[in-house]
Amino acid sequence: MVTEVSMGGHSETEKAPAANHDVGRTVKVQKTGQARYGTDAGAGCDLSAHHTPSGALGQIEQGHQMCLSRQHIDAEACFRAAIALAPEWPMPHNNLGWVLQAQGRNEEALVCYNRALQIDATQELAQANLAYLLANLYFFIGKFAEARSMWLFLANIYPEDHQVLDNLISTALRVNDFSDAGQWATCYAAVTKASVYHPMLAHATAAPPDVALPTPKLSRGKLQHDLEQYQYLRDKGLLDQEFDDIINYYSMAINRLDENNTALQESIYNAPEIKNTYGRIIHHYPANKLPGNAVAVSESSKHAEQKYLKSKLGIVIIDDFLSDEALSELQKFCLESTVWHSNSYSHDRLGAFFREGFNCPLLLQIAEEMQFVFPNVIGKKHPLLQMWAYKYRHNQPSTHPHADFAAVNVNFWITPDGANQNSESGGLIIYDIEAPMDWDFDAYNRQGDKISTFLKSSDAKCIVIPYRCNRAIIFNSDLFHATAPLEFRPGYINKRVNITMLYGEREAAKKE
């Protein structure tokens, strides 16, 4: 572990954020392997080992309690007093580093952590605090490889901490290491969404989480989707006879559920048939990387980037986007994989996200190939930052317009055309207005009324792109867009599925 790092000169670290969670207090361990940062009260330590007077321990304990109530300035005074009494005890140096970090005094915090480790190089809390601070500082100044090395260090200490794993995914994506990002995303899904039926990791050493993370929200729409998916998998022989009882319980739960009755929801969720399956990965289709191209090589794809660059708005459509084999494998992955966990959307729409199981070598192959198909628009300069899919009810009105937090949006559809009952709709509506740069994410992504008012006052015009299976739309992610009204056939296999890959940051794109 490197314990001295020069950040140089007046340093950009002074502008960097403090620790982004539970700042100024020790993080309580919820399960084995969860990362622990912050201060320590010193209870149970061997004072004689550090020639430590009891008065120093009293200062440590008092400062620690002040940290818990975020009284950082008062806690700082306690830890400085402890250092004066016991300068060769590593704990007060570590604790002082944490309260300085909580105040945004990052360079001073680095000195404190380094001093604690000079005294005792095995001090795990100081190691974790130092690595955590460096990881955030490096990320803030764009040194993603260095940030990644810090998160790797923390992963060796806390291999099951989902926040550490989340940051390993982010930094791997930032340096365009798709394979590593996929492996860490699999680890993340294993500690947050795994089940007794599917551990996600071939050699899992830990049991599935007691409760899926985040705690799932029961909804009739998701219960109905999961019931249909389990029936589909059971009919294909991909789930065993045990699931007959689970399927029956889901059917009963749909009939009983009252989404306004919290006690009833808890009772339904705590039944083992639900708790061991709902919001968890039960089956995961292995859609592997293909030996040939996943993105079809065609005249359309060859000239797509040129058309995008010539487009005033930055929009291009590619039909027959994926090779036949890639499309077929991706359809199987989306039909079979129980990764549709997010149900916070209107009209029973469900989301599947990269970190929570919407992850396979084929998807990452497609994402990486797009950097080569669009070398100037995407390329290595705009790394993949997010990937998700949505699955829709068979009919619904248009969604609210929104923009996404990226430079370039790659959106494609994979449900067969035979499921779509209106060939002139079911696709995407793109407006000729970009989200204002001074709007934050909540404003341009979630505040539908504000967006609608803005579009109306701007006299925005819309482009309607009808649904077609295997059609991709690559567009400037700043443009407001919405899903068009849907009229798809009922039935599990007919649900509309769209996949989104987001590349780069909108602020970076505007500087080009």
Side-chain angles (χ1 to χ4, degrees):
M1 171 69 184
V2 177
T3 59
E4 290 190 25
V5 176
S6 173
M7 302 303 290
H10 70 284
S11 178
E12 297 210 27
T13 62
E14 294 175 4
K15 306 175 192 174
N20 60 17
H21 76 290
D22 297 308
V23 175
R25 69 178 179 85
T26 298
V27 177
K28 295 180 180 178
V29 177
Q30 295 178 356
K31 61 175 286 185
T32 302
Q34 183 178 356
R36 179 173 178 262
Y37 312 104
T39 62
D40 202 331
C45 66
D46 182 2
L47 299 182
S48 62
H50 302 285
H51 309 288
T52 304
S54 59
L57 179 59
Q59 293 288 345
I60 286 286
E61 291 175 340
Q62 184 178 356
H64 176 72
Q65 291 303 315
M66 288 176 173
C67 279
L68 295 177
S69 59
R70 300 182 182 272
Q71 300 177 58
H72 299 132
I73 295 175
D74 293 335
E76 178 185 344
C78 290
F79 297 141
R80 289 192 185 279
I83 290 172
L85 291 167
E88 296 303 310
W89 189 17
M91 190 176 297
H93 293 282
N94 169 78
N95 289 6
L96 178 59
W98 188 257
V99 295
L100 292 172
Q101 180 181 345
Q103 297 174 64
R105 295 157 64 184
N106 295 312
E107 288 191 351
E108 294 175 76
L110 288 172
V111 172
C112 292
Y113 295 144
N114 284 328
R115 178 62 185 138
L117 291 170
Q118 286 170 356
I119 297 169
D120 181 0
T122 66
Q123 232 278 346
E124 185 176 294
L125 188 57
Q127 290 178 341
N129 285 341
L130 176 60
Y132 180 79
L133 175 56
L134 287 174
N136 281 281
L137 294 176
Y138 281 136
F139 194 94
F140 180 78
I141 62 176
K143 293 188 174 183
F144 302 121
E146 290 85 349
R148 186 185 188 188
S149 69
M150 293 297 101
W151 291 118
L152 281 169
F153 175 84
L154 287 166
N156 287 328
I157 306 176
Y158 307 117
E160 297 170 37
D161 182 77
H162 65 275
Q163 190 171 57
V164 171
L165 297 171
D166 176 66
N167 282 285
L168 279 168
I169 297 164
S170 294
T171 50
L173 289 173
R174 292 278 181 168
V175 298
N176 293 299
D177 190 338
F178 290 89
S179 176
D180 208 45
Q183 291 177 19
W184 288 118
T186 299
C187 293
Y188 184 97
V191 302
T192 60
K193 298 293 184 183
S195 70
V196 294
Y197 307 99
H198 199 297
M200 284 300 290
L201 295 171
H203 304 289
T205 57
D210 293 336
V211 177
L213 300 173
T215 303
K217 179 187 75 172
L218 282 183
S219 69
R220 184 169 279 100
K222 176 165 168 53
L223 285 167
Q224 182 62 43
H225 166 272
D226 292 358
L227 170 63
E228 293 176 11
Q229 187 173 34
Y230 294 159
Q231 289 173 326
Y232 176 84
L233 294 171
R234 184 76 180 97
D235 290 344
K236 285 187 163 290
L238 298 171
L239 297 178
D240 60 27
Q241 191 173 356
E242 175 185 358
F243 265 80
D244 290 343
D245 290 338
I246 294 171
I247 288 169
N248 289 335
Y249 194 90
Y250 267 73
S251 181
M252 181 273 293
I254 292 168
N255 292 327
R256 288 185 59 205
L257 181 66
D258 178 352
E259 295 184 25
N260 296 315
N261 186 330
T262 302
L264 178 59
Q265 285 195 64
E266 290 179 358
S267 173
I268 292 173
Y269 177 75
N270 286 323
E273 294 89 345
I274 300 291
K275 192 172 184 178
N276 292 336
T277 59
Y278 189 84
R280 296 179 183 269
I281 296 170
I282 307 303
H283 180 77
H284 201 263
Y285 179 76
N288 294 316
K289 185 174 182 179
L290 302 180
N293 289 331
V295 176
V297 178
S298 64
E299 290 301 309
S300 178
S301 63
K302 286 179 183 177
H303 301 294
E305 183 175 58
Q306 185 179 4
K307 290 181 179 179
Y308 181 100
L309 292 170
K310 287 183 177 180
S311 165
K312 181 180 178 181
L313 296 174
I315 303 172
V316 68
I317 299 170
I318 304 177
D319 284 323
D320 302 318
F321 173 58
L322 301 175
S323 70
D324 290 345
E325 185 178 6
L327 176 62
S328 176
E329 285 293 285
L330 206 49
Q331 288 169 337
K332 287 180 183 177
F333 176 81
C334 290
L335 283 169
E336 294 185 11
S337 300
T338 58
V339 296
W340 305 93
H341 306 305
S342 185
N343 59 340
S344 58
Y345 313 104
S346 59
H347 308 295
D348 298 329
R349 176 165 53 119
L350 298 180
F353 290 85
F354 179 53
R355 288 160 170 77
E356 298 180 347
F358 189 71
N359 165 31
C360 61
L362 176 57
L363 279 167
L364 291 168
Q365 180 182 2
I366 295 166
E368 186 170 14
E369 287 182 13
M370 286 302 292
Q371 291 186 319
F372 294 96
V373 176
F374 285 76
N376 299 298
V377 172
I378 300 175
K380 299 294 184 181
K381 66 180 179 181
H382 288 315
L384 177 75
L385 297 184
Q386 185 56 275
M387 178 167 62
W388 65 65
Y390 287 125
K391 188 182 284 190
Y392 297 77
R393 198 177 65 190
H394 72 276
N395 64 344
Q396 71 162 59
S398 175
T399 61
H400 285 296
H402 67 280
D404 290 313
F405 49 98
V408 182
N409 188 314
V410 176
N411 192 304
F412 57 100
W413 305 312
I414 65 169
T415 304
D417 285 325
N420 185 14
Q421 295 182 298
N422 183 350
S423 61
E424 299 304 312
S425 188
L428 191 67
I429 302 169
I430 302 179
Y431 296 85
D432 62 350
I433 297 291
E434 295 185 0
M437 287 303 297
D438 60 350
W439 284 20
D440 62 14
F441 172 75
D442 189 68
Y444 65 73
N445 189 267
R446 294 173 177 163
Q447 295 183 21
D449 291 341
K450 179 177 181 177
I451 295 168
S452 296
T453 300
F454 173 74
L455 291 174
K456 185 176 181 180
S457 65
S458 303
D459 194 26
K461 306 294 189 297
C462 67
I463 301 166
V464 178
I465 303 171
Y467 180 91
R468 297 290 184 274
C469 178
N470 207 15
R471 168 173 281 179
I473 303 97
I474 297 87
F475 62 98
N476 170 9
S477 202
D478 265 347
L479 294 171
F480 285 110
H481 54 281
T483 299
L486 306 182
E487 298 176 44
F488 277 57
R489 298 183 189 281
Y492 177 70
I493 64 173
N494 295 320
K495 292 181 183 294
R496 178 191 187 272
V497 173
N498 80 270
I499 296 169
T500 296
M501 297 175 176
L502 298 183
Y503 294 86
E505 295 177 322
R506 66 190 303 246
E507 293 84 358
K510 294 305 177 189
K511 294 177 182 178
E512 295 175 1

